[in-house]
Amino acid sequence: MSNRRATLIDRIRHDGRFDAVILGGGINGIGTFRELAVQGLRVLLVERADFSSGCSAAPSRMIHGGLRYLENGEIGLVRESLRERDALLANAPHLVHPLPTTIPITSTFSGLFNAAAGLVGVTGKPASRGALPIKLGLSLYDFIVRRNRRLPKHQFRSAKATLARWPELMPDLRSSATYHDAWISHPERLALELLADCRRDAPDCIALNYATLAAQDGGYRLSGLGIDAPLTITPRAIVNATGAWLDETLSSLNRATEAPLVAGTKGSHLILDNPWLKAALGGHMVFFENDDGRVCILFPYLGKVLAGSTDIRVDRPGRVRCTPEERDYILGAVQRIFPRIRLDESQIIFSYSGIRPLPKSDHAFTGRISRGHFIHRIDGSIPLFCMVGGKWTTFRAFAEQTADAVLASLNHPRRTDTRPLPIGGGLNFPTDPADLAADLCRRFGISPARADHLTGTYGTTSYALLEFCRARADDTPLIEGLPWTEAEITWLIATEDVQHLADLVLRRTTLAITGALDPRSLDRLTVIAARDLGWSAPQAAEEKATLIAELTEFHDLPAARWAAPSAERKNACV
């Protein structure tokens, strides 16, 4: 356990009174923690695992307006999503980037009445979307953001022009449409940067991972890593931001509702190492409809290709993995769109899956379930606010709405609007990222490759990181060929609440998701973490074994795949 965590626990032990307690350290909980913290409240955030390790670590990595939500008649949600997308492009430009998105179209009029069907209560699968309804949707999309536009308007292409631009696409298309949304390179890091901003701006507030709060003896007790005996917590308000586990959390607090509030769906994604597919995308995301009506996505991601996703109802929340059936579904969908490019499971270098915490719904087709959000208040001597639904793009707006409800109940005025606030390394980020990279090279004598890595990962926080590294006279690569250094790993452990080896591999870095993890890098990480966190040799061995088990069971990385040197990839083209 780090000294910093011990200090935080000691502070709680001496004063367990908080204006608000947030349960759940996913993006909605962290967003609400930030909202309340900057208003001057004393806030405690409690996360039972690592920050941003549940559904928040398993998104499609898109920051988008929700084009298909128009089909459900959710214009308000689209407007909110587009506004928040543009705010993230401005506030976290090191992590959120424009993404040109192309829709291959195979018909003209089909799907014209999908939205009308939804409005009159039809819950089944919508008809295939043709050129006309897509044109109407994109025109409305553009109209909503007509003021202060940040991204280009949509455009249509004929089949001939489309195939000239993307020759590997399915040959039977009739046209295509291109519009712009955004993608996020490191979603977990954005959540961590929000916490870092709170530590700087609201030092009286505390966020703890690997901790739990439970009702006990008429009050609330905090337990967790490094807490020898449960600590008494006295909140004035509680926010339940536990996502898919929201109803279970209510039960643990003895505040259960008569009917469940959340019913999740499972979404799985694949990361593919297929250079031919990456080249065929030409820098665009392809946003397409599979045979079953489910919308799928495919786009370049950190040198690889991200493909997804599924949308399967789940009865109970829990840790989930991409099943062989889901893997085949995603690969089959991609193969239909790019029929000439060879795809097989050997190209999968990582998979991940999470449960979307959607509002309880009876819709037969999961795609018709709203991706909106609302707050359910449970009155009592300590009011409890449940965050139901939500998605990555709208986390700030949802957090703002939740915070306003809490502030009203505490009779505390709002004093800060977070919409224009930069996030983490987005503060003072230059218009051209190359300017930051060049300045890092000039000031610290690092290579252009390392400067690019730091710029795209930490933004302007790179200055603090490199000062930390320089003070240790250490720029030793974790292993040769990787952009991370040993001092950088030490900095992550010291500043970002790392408690376990998995925190480093899966959330503080992209070692696993990009296929960069191998036996040498894993060994070095284990040595550094053991030294900095004070693990004994048996503890370090257990951490390593636990991580390998997690990678094997939940991320499609069995020992035979990652423990040996990467084999030469098969020729991926037919």
Side-chain angles (χ1 to χ4, degrees), residues 192-428:
L192 292 164
E193 291 191 3
L194 288 168
L195 291 175
D197 289 348
C198 289
R199 285 195 294 269
R200 179 195 66 208
D201 300 332
D204 287 341
C205 297
I206 297 173
L208 278 185
N209 52 2
Y210 298 102
T212 58
L213 188 81
Q216 183 179 330
D217 301 329
Y220 297 98
R221 301 291 183 270
L222 179 72
S223 304
L225 179 67
I227 302 175
D228 297 331
L231 304 176
T232 299
I233 302 297
T234 307
R236 298 172 61 202
I238 297 175
V239 175
N240 184 350
T242 55
W245 288 265
L246 184 142
D247 293 301
E248 288 189 358
T249 301
L250 288 177
S251 295
S252 74
L253 299 175
N254 299 325
R255 306 285 287 272
T257 56
E258 291 185 7
L261 296 172
V262 172
T265 68
K266 175 188 174 188
S268 294
H269 300 77
L270 305 177
I271 304 296
L272 304 172
D273 185 5
N274 186 320
W276 293 268
L277 182 61
K278 178 176 176 288
L281 290 169
H284 281 228
M285 179 171 80
V286 173
F287 181 82
F288 63 97
E289 183 180 354
N290 205 10
D291 293 333
D292 61 356
R294 170 70 190 160
V295 170
C296 298
I297 60 168
L298 185 69
F299 67 94
Y301 178 74
L302 301 180
K304 305 298 188 289
V305 175
L306 186 152
S309 71
T310 55
D311 197 13
I312 302 168
R313 287 186 183 274
V314 291
D315 295 327
R316 297 190 62 182
R319 188 70 188 272
V320 291
R321 66 183 298 271
C322 180
T323 64
E325 293 78 14
E326 290 176 284
R327 175 201 65 204
D328 294 344
Y329 172 89
I330 296 171
L331 288 177
V334 175
Q335 190 72 82
R336 188 173 69 85
I337 298 299
F338 287 99
R340 296 176 54 204
I341 295 179
R342 185 176 176 181
L343 295 167
D344 62 65
E345 63 183 271
S346 71
Q347 298 159 11
I348 301 171
I349 61 169
F350 192 81
S351 70
Y352 63 92
S353 187
I355 299 176
R356 304 177 184 93
L358 305 181
K360 182 72 174 175
S361 170
D362 295 325
H363 280 300
F365 181 67
T366 54
R368 285 204 181 273
I369 301 175
S370 174
R371 267 53 174 177
H373 51 255
F374 65 89
I375 303 155
H376 179 81
R377 174 172 173 154
I378 300 175
D379 289 322
S381 58
I382 300 174
L384 194 154
F385 301 86
C386 300
M387 301 182 73
V388 182
K391 64 194 188 80
W392 245 100
T393 304
T394 56
F395 82 85
R396 193 213 61 85
F398 193 12
E400 179 183 65
Q401 294 153 21
T402 305
D404 283 344
V406 173
L407 291 169
S409 75
L410 300 179
N411 196 29
H412 186 99
R414 171 176 284 275
R415 68 186 192 187
T416 301
D417 178 7
T418 59
R419 188 184 303 170
L421 293 184
I423 297 172
L427 178 65
N428 298 323

Side-chain angles (χ1 to χ4, degrees), residues 38-312:
V38 299
Q39 311 312 324
L41 298 184
R42 187 170 191 248
V43 190
L44 171 67
L45 184 146
V46 179
E47 164 55 45
R48 68 178 181 178
D50 190 19
F51 299 124
S52 194
S53 62
C55 179
S56 296
S60 294
R61 284 162 164 74
M62 294 167 57
I63 299 296
H64 64 109
L67 176 63
R68 70 178 183 85
Y69 305 155
L70 293 173
E71 193 171 74
N72 294 342
E74 297 180 288
I75 295 176
L77 177 59
V78 173
R79 183 181 294 110
E80 179 182 68
S81 299
L82 288 169
R83 184 178 65 240
E84 294 301 315
R85 178 202 69 184
D86 288 352
L88 282 168
L89 283 165
N91 295 332
H94 57 310
L95 300 176
V96 180
H97 313 277
L99 179 63
T101 302
T102 293
I103 308 171
I105 302 170
T106 58
S107 64
T108 302
F109 298 104
S110 178
L112 188 58
F113 300 106
N114 283 342
L119 290 174
V120 299
V122 175
T123 64
K125 183 183 79 171
S128 175
R129 294 89 171 170
L132 186 54
I134 289 173
K135 177 66 176 178
L136 292 172
L138 289 175
S139 296
L140 181 55
Y141 215 60
D142 285 340
F143 180 78
I144 291 172
V145 294
R146 64 193 181 279
R147 297 187 181 93
N148 303 315
R149 175 181 299 280
R150 294 186 62 91
L151 299 175
K153 291 184 177 181
H154 79 274
Q155 66 178 113
F156 267 70
R157 292 182 178 87
S158 66
K160 182 178 180 181
T162 300
L163 292 173
R165 176 71 174 78
W166 294 279
E168 304 296 343
L169 272 174
M170 53 187 186
D172 59 338
L173 58 80
R174 294 190 178 183
S175 60
S176 69
T178 295
Y179 68 103
H180 282 72
D181 259 325
W183 68 289
I184 181 168
S185 55
H186 307 76
E188 302 90 342
R189 290 214 54 79
L190 189 143
L192 292 164
E193 291 191 3
L194 288 168
L195 291 175
D197 289 348
C198 289
R199 285 195 294 269
R200 179 195 66 208
D201 300 332
D204 287 341
C205 297
I206 297 173
L208 278 185
N209 52 2
Y210 298 102
T212 58
L213 188 81
Q216 183 179 330
D217 301 329
Y220 297 98
R221 301 291 183 270
L222 179 72
S223 304
L225 179 67
I227 302 175
D228 297 331
L231 304 176
T232 299
I233 302 297
T234 307
R236 298 172 61 202
I238 297 175
V239 175
N240 184 350
T242 55
W245 288 265
L246 184 142
D247 293 301
E248 288 189 358
T249 301
L250 288 177
S251 295
S252 74
L253 299 175
N254 299 325
R255 306 285 287 272
T257 56
E258 291 185 7
L261 296 172
V262 172
T265 68
K266 175 188 174 188
S268 294
H269 300 77
L270 305 177
I271 304 296
L272 304 172
D273 185 5
N274 186 320
W276 293 268
L277 182 61
K278 178 176 176 288
L281 290 169
H284 281 228
M285 179 171 80
V286 173
F287 181 82
F288 63 97
E289 183 180 354
N290 205 10
D291 293 333
D292 61 356
R294 170 70 190 160
V295 170
C296 298
I297 60 168
L298 185 69
F299 67 94
Y301 178 74
L302 301 180
K304 305 298 188 289
V305 175
L306 186 152
S309 71
T310 55
D311 197 13
I312 302 168

